[in-house]
């Protein structure tokens, strides 16, 4: 049986901005109709993905995600409201805590300990199902191989996964330590590519009679005004670093659309037709060219500021969740776009 997906949810990384994904998920999972075949994410998007795809027994996907955000909210009740966005500098009890091994300071490669995150996920994730390659939906996360300088894709259909893979995807330096898996060291996948859409497109089923849909939640908008100050320059750099860079993937797929259509026409020829055994035909067939799926983009309209990814205050999480819900509702109401015409 094919392990290819027909619908997918793709989630960006962005630290505390991930509360926007919570709001988007609230809208997507309203009712009983939303059930993606594949959920993919990087960094906080990987955490969102595993909670939606492998919630602990007795929890619905959205329940697990809601509980996570309740647990990682930093109250900051002891601080004036203007300082609460910065409370996580002192740590987040259910996510990360400052390192205390000061004697080894010279050899530090990170500032915080993410053991609390592992404990939180152990309560909210079905780790047995996470390691089951037959479990549904499919789960895909990415991390950056530090030595190779390349993105690594971890797909639940291709190998058993563990919390190590999820934490590796979010090991953003210098805040968090690198994660070692099978002798390889990994940092946050967002350092290399913050939107794992390309890996998802490779795993979408090109069913002739099925509409393939990918929902992409973008925490960093691509478009923004020209910066007019040094602060605005720094903000623009941050957003460009982590914005969705998959337009080139879509352009390439658009160029392959006609090849995919031609191959389907050729495959409809009688089995004994000479073209069916031609080496050129067989090589192209093996490449599995697919057409561009329907893509529903759910994108934060405002650029992220320098500390926004660390603001786990209750006010910020509630605001971003509300924004994610509203933007998801808007995106679902927008007519389908032909990306090949748009590009």
């Amino acid at each position: 049986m094919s392990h290819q997906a027909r619908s997918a949810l793709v989630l960006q990384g962005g630290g505390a901005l991930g509360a926007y994904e919570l709001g988007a998920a609230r809208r997507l999972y309203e009712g009983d109709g939303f059930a993606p075949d594949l959920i993919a994410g990087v960094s906080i998007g990987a955490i969102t993905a595993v909670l939606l795809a492998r919630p602990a027994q007795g929890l619905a996907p959205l329940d697990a995600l809601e509980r996570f955000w309740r647990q990682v909210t930093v109250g900051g009740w002891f601080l004036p409201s203007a300082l609460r966005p910065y409370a996580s500098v002192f740590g987040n009890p259910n996510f990360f805590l400052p390192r205390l091994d000061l004697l080894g300071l010279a050899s530090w490669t990170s500032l915080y300990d993410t053991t609390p995150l592992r404990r939180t996920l152990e309560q909210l994730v079905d780790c047995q199902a996470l390691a089951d390659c037959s479990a549904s939906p499919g789960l895909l996360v990415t991390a950056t191989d530090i030595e190779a300088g390349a993105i690594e894709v971890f797909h639940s259909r291709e190998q058993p996964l563990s919390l190590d893979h999820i934490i590796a995807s979010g090991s953003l330096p210098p805040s968090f330590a690198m994660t070692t898996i099978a002798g390889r060291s990994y940092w946050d996948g967002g350092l290399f590519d913050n939107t794992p859409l390309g890996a998802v497109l490779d795993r979408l089923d090109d069913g002739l009679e099925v509409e393939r849909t990918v929902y992409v939640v973008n925490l960093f908008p691509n478009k923004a005004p020209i910066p007019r100050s040094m602060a605005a320059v720094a903000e623009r750099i941050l957003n460009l670093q982590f914005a969705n860079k998959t337009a080139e993937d879509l352009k390439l797929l658009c160029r392959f659309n006609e090849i995919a259509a031609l191959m389907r026409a050729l495959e409809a020829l009688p089995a004994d037709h000479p073209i069916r055994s031609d080496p050129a035909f067989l090589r192209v067939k093996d490449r599995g060219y697919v057409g561009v799926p329907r893509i529903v983009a759910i994108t934060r309209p405002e650029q992220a500021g320098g500390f926004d990814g660390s603001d786990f205050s209750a006010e910020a999480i509630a605001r971003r969740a509300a924004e994610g819900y509203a933007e998801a509702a808007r995106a679902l109401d927008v007519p389908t776009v032909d990306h090949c015409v748009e590009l």
Side-chain angles (χ1 to χ4, degrees):
M1 182 176 64
S2 171
H3 288 319
Q4 299 291 81
R6 296 180 177 181
S7 63
L9 173 62
V10 179
L11 303 151
Q12 279 193 339
L17 294 172
Y20 182 90
E21 296 172 345
L22 167 63
R26 286 172 176 167
R27 177 61 185 88
L28 290 170
Y29 281 85
E30 276 185 347
D32 300 319
F34 187 70
D37 300 299
L38 176 62
I39 303 179
V42 58
S43 197
I44 195 66
I47 292 174
T48 303
V50 75
L51 292 168
L52 293 175
R54 302 290 184 270
Q57 293 187 22
L59 290 180
L62 194 56
D63 292 336
L65 188 59
E66 296 275 9
R67 292 192 185 193
F68 173 80
W69 282 102
R70 285 198 294 271
Q71 291 188 37
V72 301
T73 298
V74 177
W77 54 269
F78 55 91
L79 293 172
S81 58
L83 296 180
R84 286 174 192 165
Y86 308 99
S88 63
V89 168
F90 305 104
N92 185 321
N94 291 307
F95 201 138
F96 53 87
L97 291 173
R99 293 181 61 176
L100 300 177
D101 51 326
L102 298 180
L103 292 179
L105 182 61
S107 61
W108 279 17
T109 58
S110 61
L111 301 175
Y112 294 93
D113 175 13
T114 55
T115 300
L117 172 61
R118 184 179 293 272
R119 286 198 293 262
T120 298
L121 293 179
E122 285 173 346
Q123 299 169 10
L124 300 174
V125 172
D126 186 337
C127 293
Q128 184 174 350
L130 182 57
D132 183 356
C133 292
S134 65
S136 292
L139 175 64
L140 184 152
V141 301
T142 61
T144 300
D145 186 315
I146 301 171
E147 289 184 280
I151 200 73
E152 184 82 16
V153 176
F154 301 111
H155 186 209
S156 66
R157 300 300 195 197
E158 299 166 3
Q159 66 184 104
L161 301 184
S162 70
L163 290 181
D164 287 339
H165 297 92
I166 309 304
I167 292 172
S169 184
S171 296
L172 181 65
S175 294
F176 304 147
M178 64 189 76
T179 300
T180 301
I181 301 173
R184 305 296 298 179
S185 297
Y186 297 97
W187 272 336
D188 192 300
L191 291 174
F192 201 91
D193 183 356
N194 201 37
T195 316
L197 179 58
V200 168
L201 294 176
D202 287 341
R203 290 162 176 83
L204 280 181
D205 181 12
D206 190 30
L208 298 180
E209 305 299 330
V210 177
E211 181 183 65
R212 301 176 309 126
T213 303
V214 180
Y215 302 86
V216 184
V217 183
N218 298 304
L219 302 182
F220 298 87
N222 287 76
K223 298 180 180 180
I226 298 294
R228 301 300 181 187
S229 67
M230 289 303 295
V233 167
E235 184 175 278
R236 189 69 183 123
I237 290 172
L238 170 70
N239 284 266
L240 287 174
Q241 180 180 358
F242 293 109
N244 190 330
K245 300 177 180 67
T246 55
E248 293 304 315
D249 291 322
L250 295 177
K251 288 181 181 178
L252 185 61
L253 276 180
C254 288
R255 289 195 286 269
F256 291 157
N257 263 2
E258 292 184 358
I259 297 176
L262 174 61
M263 291 303 296
R264 287 195 290 267
L266 294 178
E267 288 172 355
L269 294 172
D272 59 353
H273 194 285
I275 194 67
R276 297 288 299 273
S277 58
D278 186 280
F281 169 83
L282 295 175
R283 284 195 299 270
V284 176
K285 180 181 178 180
D286 286 342
R287 291 186 181 276
Y289 287 113
V290 299
V292 176
R294 172 178 176 250
I295 294 181
V296 178
I298 303 168
T299 304
R300 290 184 67 247
E302 296 181 4
Q303 290 196 106
F307 204 80
D308 287 351
S310 302
D311 183 359
F312 286 88
S313 65
E315 298 89 344
I317 288 174
R319 182 176 66 254
R320 291 166 187 158
E323 291 170 350
Y325 182 96
E327 189 61 29
R330 190 204 66 78
L332 292 176
D333 288 338
V334 172
T336 301
V337 172
D338 184 337
H339 288 273
C340 292
V341 172
E342 186 183 54
L343 295 172

